[in-house]
């Protein structure tokens, strides 16, 4: 599983011109599922997402000391199969063969949302619409952008 975390001041998702969700201060997490991902990958990425210390401690002024849970911030999850895209071919057209197929990915993405909601509280987690063309608007805070990949599976 691959996450792209962006620390934001605000963010929203719209589908067909209608805003479907929004958050204040927190993290937008673009979520890509690899064809070999399983429950362990979801758990790993959820832990990393919620434990990443992207804010400063306001009392001490020390940077990189506070995570979204401790901040009281919100999380916007956005499914994005293109995170496993590649343009390695000679035609430079995107190839998404490493991305999880849509039907299974929908189930796994829902499970990931459930895991994150269980950890941080459902009211603090928003998301886009799986499989839809989305307009994602955000105001970066920093900007701060972090990549998280679950560990690669070993061939047996």
């Amino acid at each position: 599983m691959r996450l792209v975390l962006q620390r934001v001041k605000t963010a929203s998702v719209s589908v067909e011109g209608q805003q479907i969700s929004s958050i204040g201060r927190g993290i937008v997490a673009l979520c890509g599922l690899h064809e070999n991902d399983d429950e362990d990958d979801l758990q790993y990425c959820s832990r990393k997402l919620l434990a990443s210390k992207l804010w400063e401690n306001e009392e001490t002024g020390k940077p990189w000391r506070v995570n979204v849970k401790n901040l009281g911030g919100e999380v916007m999850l956005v499914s994005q199969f293109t995170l496993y895209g590649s343009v390695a071919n000679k035609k430079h057209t995107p190839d998404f063969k490493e991305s999880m197929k849509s039907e299974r990915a929908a189930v796994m993405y829902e499970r990931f949302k459930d895991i994150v909601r269980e950890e941080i509280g459902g009211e603090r987690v928003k998301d886009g619409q799986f499989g839809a063309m989305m307009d994602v608007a955000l105001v970066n805070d920093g900007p701060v952008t972090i990549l998280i990949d679950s560990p690669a599976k070993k061939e047996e």
Side-chain angles (χ1 to χ4, degrees), residues 53-73:
K53 296 177 180 178
L54 304 181
W55 288 269
E56 76 175 28
N57 180 319
E58 292 181 0
E59 292 175 16
T60 66
K62 291 185 177 181
W64 316 115
R65 296 292 191 267
V66 177
N67 63 42
V68 71
K69 284 176 74 171
N70 296 336
L71 179 75

Side-chain angles (χ1 to χ4, degrees), residues 34-137:
H34 187 274
E35 63 181 348
N36 296 330
D37 284 342
D38 59 21
E39 178 78 12
D40 290 342
D41 298 288
L42 304 180
Q43 295 285 345
Y44 176 90
C45 285
S46 175
R47 281 191 309 273
K48 290 291 186 180
L49 162 64
L50 297 176
S52 293
K53 296 177 180 178
L54 304 181
W55 288 269
E56 76 175 28
N57 180 319
E58 292 181 0
E59 292 175 16
T60 66
K62 291 185 177 181
W64 316 115
R65 296 292 191 267
V66 177
N67 63 42
V68 71
K69 284 176 74 171
N70 296 336
L71 179 75
E74 297 176 286
V75 176
M76 172 79 72
L77 301 175
V78 179
S79 62
Q80 190 168 351
F81 76 95
T82 62
L83 290 180
Y84 279 103
S86 169
V87 288
N89 58 55
K90 291 180 182 179
K91 293 181 182 180
H92 304 290
T93 56
D95 178 342
F96 304 107
K97 66 183 173 200
E98 291 187 29
S99 298
M100 187 177 287
K101 301 301 179 245
S102 187
E103 188 174 306
R104 182 167 172 247
V107 172
M108 294 289 280
Y109 177 70
E110 287 299 318
R111 176 66 184 129
F112 182 68
K113 286 192 309 187
D114 290 343
I115 294 167
V116 174
R117 286 182 170 135
E118 288 167 12
E119 283 296 315
I120 196 173
E123 69 284 348
R124 290 170 57 188
V125 179
K126 306 294 190 322
D127 75 315
Q129 182 177 327
F130 186 89
M133 288 293 292
M134 294 177 272
D135 295 329
V136 180

Side-chain angles (χ1 to χ4, degrees), residues 10-23 76 126-129 135 137:
T10 62
S12 64
V13 174
S14 297
V15 175
E16 296 180 2
Q18 299 294 313
Q19 182 175 299
I20 61 170
S21 61
S22 65
I23 64 169
M76 172 79 72
K126 306 294 190 322
D127 75 315
Q129 182 177 327
D135 295 329

